[in-house]
Amino acid sequence: MTSVLNVDTIADKAGTGPVGLTKQHAAKCWMNYNQNTPAIDDSFGISSVADNATGDFIPSYSNSFVNVDYAMAGMACNTIFISMEDNNAQTDRTTASSTRLLAMNYSGTQSDQEQTMVTWHGDLA
């Protein structure tokens, strides 16, 4: 016999907050971002994106991470990588509330991409 559970909200025992995840680690935020527009096509846990220059953008999180030791993975059309650092090896690009990212094309030049997808995992503050 199969059971179905249909609910609108699951809250903690006190009824005042969300239920904590157990034995699993879901992405804390993700986005699909169009650098050409620039506009967020879809996202979860992203409050805004600052478009600094060609291929240079800063997503801000709706909820900050507890520290800068979270993990991020990203990809974009026609790019070889999305980097948190540029050729000057700047290390101030990651904070608990945002990450400055660069999208590079195959020739190593920063470039805007129509579809940029990034996900973050870590502990929220």
Side-chain angles (χ1 to χ4, degrees):
M1 177 177 191
T2 304
S3 299
V4 176
L5 177 65
N6 295 314
V7 298
D8 292 325
T9 303
I10 298 177
D12 61 5
K13 188 174 182 178
T16 58
V19 175
L21 294 174
T22 59
K23 297 185 181 182
Q24 60 181 327
H25 295 280
K28 299 306 188 291
C29 51
W30 58 265
M31 73 171 186
N32 188 323
Y33 176 61
N34 184 337
Q35 295 176 26
N36 293 325
T37 311
I40 298 172
D41 292 332
D42 201 1
S43 70
F44 172 77
I46 300 294
S47 59
S48 64
V49 178
D51 184 27
N52 298 323
T54 301
D56 183 344
F57 57 104
I58 303 175
S60 294
Y61 317 130
S62 300
N63 298 294
S64 294
F65 286 92
V66 70
N67 55 38
V68 297
D69 297 328
Y70 52 87
M72 182 216 69
M75 60 183 268
C77 301
N78 302 315
T79 62
I80 52 173
F81 63 87
I82 296 176
S83 172
M84 292 185 348
E85 298 181 3
D86 65 6
N87 293 333
N88 296 323
Q90 296 175 358
T91 57
D92 62 346
R93 294 189 178 269
T94 302
T95 71
S97 59
S98 68
T99 305
R100 188 168 185 174
L101 301 170
L102 303 175
M104 309 292 241
N105 63 21
Y106 290 103
S107 65
T109 305
Q110 287 178 214
S111 63
D112 285 341
Q113 299 300 321
E114 184 176 342
Q115 194 171 34
T116 306
M117 297 154 287
V118 188
T119 184
W120 291 264
H121 294 262
D123 297 323
L124 296 178

